């Protein structure tokens, strides 16, 4: 009997420990996402054509950063990941973040798995409305998307002649060379937003707040470094 009571007590302690630890992990996930987003931006800034990305960000209205988008498949493939979104006001100051996930499917002769860093640059008001208008949006459906321009094409895209409301830039880390994003869906991650802001907030509400908290500063600083590199 005593042994049974000790076992029950031990299991209770372990259950409390793992529940508390699980909560801590859940609360820390959004901060980890921010740290990885800043890291990805710095890695992209180190690339030879980083100035092109900086040009587009400088003239754009916002960014969505997905540090680790996993992709795997055999004939029919799928991809998904979690990221953060920030908008840029007319005064040049960043707002947010909002937290979103991306998911999609792809078809064709493919085999393998990979992990890709993805940055979506919001180029105009239509892109802003897509990210703030509801719980989800479909790339290529609700909002136009195109591969991010580089070199001289990037310069042309910053003078009001953007080919799409969203430009995509990726940095592949595995077997797949890139991502086909048409048809992919972005969904608000309300749990992550609540963990960060301390209250339930829609993407529209979160993106209306200044990105002034010290937790988001690494991403803001990385974005500003990219813009400065383009100048």
């Amino acid at each position: 009997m005593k042994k049974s009571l000790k076992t029950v007590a031990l299991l209770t302690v372990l259950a409390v420990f793992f529940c508390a630890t699980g909560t801590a992990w859940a609360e820390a996930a959004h901060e980890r996402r921010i740290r990885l987003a800043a890291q990805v931006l710095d890695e992209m800034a180190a690339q030879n054509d980083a100035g092109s990305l900086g040009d587009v960000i400088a003239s754009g209205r916002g960014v969505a950063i997905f540090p680790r988008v996993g992709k795997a498949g055999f004939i029919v493939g799928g991809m998904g990941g979690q990221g953060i979104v920030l908008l840029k006001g007319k005064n040049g100051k960043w707002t947010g973040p909002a937290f979103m996930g991306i998911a999609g499917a792809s078809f064709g002769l493919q085999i393998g798995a990979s992990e890709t860093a993805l940055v979506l640059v919001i180029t105009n008001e239509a892109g802003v409305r897509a990210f703030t208008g509801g719980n989800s949006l479909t790339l290529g459906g609700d909002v136009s998307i195109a591969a991010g321009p580089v070199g001289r094409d990037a310069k042309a895209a910053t003078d009001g002649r953007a080919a799409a409301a969203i430009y995509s830039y990726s940095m592949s880390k595995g077997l797949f060379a890139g991502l086909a994003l048409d048809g992919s869906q972005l969904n608000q991650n309300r749990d992550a937003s609540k963990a960060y802001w301390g209250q339930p907030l829609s993407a529209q509400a979160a993106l209306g707040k200044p990105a002034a908290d010290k937790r988001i500063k690494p991403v803001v600083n990385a974005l500003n470094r990219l813009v400065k590199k383009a100048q």
Side-chain angles (χ1 to χ4, degrees):
M1 183 66 177
K2 289 183 177 179
K3 186 175 181 180
S4 297
L5 289 174
K6 287 182 178 179
T7 301
V8 171
L10 177 60
L11 290 174
T12 302
V13 170
L14 288 174
V16 171
F17 170 79
F18 283 116
C19 284
T21 305
T23 301
W25 284 340
E27 290 176 345
H30 64 284
E31 295 182 356
R32 179 171 179 270
R33 206 163 295 145
I34 290 171
R35 176 176 58 80
L36 290 175
Q39 180 180 318
V40 161
L41 291 173
D42 283 336
E43 289 175 357
M44 287 187 167
Q47 305 305 308
N48 292 333
D49 57 354
S52 299
L53 175 57
D55 282 331
V56 176
I57 290 176
S59 66
R61 297 294 309 280
V63 294
I65 309 153
F66 299 89
R68 293 180 177 176
V69 177
K71 185 175 180 179
F74 181 78
I75 307 303
V76 178
M79 66 92 173
Q82 295 291 326
I84 63 173
V85 182
L86 291 92
L87 295 183
K88 179 157 57 77
K90 293 180 180 179
N91 61 358
K93 301 292 185 182
W94 294 96
T95 61
F99 294 81
M100 289 192 173
I102 186 171
S106 57
F107 303 86
L109 297 176
Q110 54 183 330
I111 183 170
S114 71
E115 196 172 73
T116 300
L118 176 66
V119 173
L120 306 179
V121 183
I122 304 167
T123 67
N124 56 30
E125 188 61 30
V128 172
R129 288 196 300 269
F131 274 86
T132 58
N135 290 324
S136 65
L137 64 101
T138 301
L139 298 175
D142 298 323
V143 62
S144 59
I145 184 168
V150 295
R152 293 181 180 178
D153 291 336
K155 289 290 186 182
T158 63
D159 63 1
R161 290 183 287 159
I166 296 174
Y167 281 136
S168 63
Y169 291 86
S170 65
M171 188 165 60
S172 185
K173 299 178 181 178
L175 300 178
F176 290 89
L179 291 176
L181 295 176
D182 279 332
S184 298
Q185 191 170 60
L186 272 65
N187 299 283
Q188 291 188 39
N189 187 331
R190 291 182 177 271
D191 290 338
S193 289
K194 183 178 180 180
Y196 179 89
W197 292 106
Q199 59 180 314
L201 287 180
S202 65
Q204 183 177 19
L207 292 170
K209 293 180 174 291
D213 191 281
K214 65 180 181 180
R215 292 171 296 174
I216 197 63
K217 278 297 182 182
V219 175
V220 170
N221 291 339
L223 286 169
N224 290 337
R225 283 194 291 270
L226 259 173
V227 170
K228 187 175 181 179
K229 187 170 184 177
Q231 293 173 348

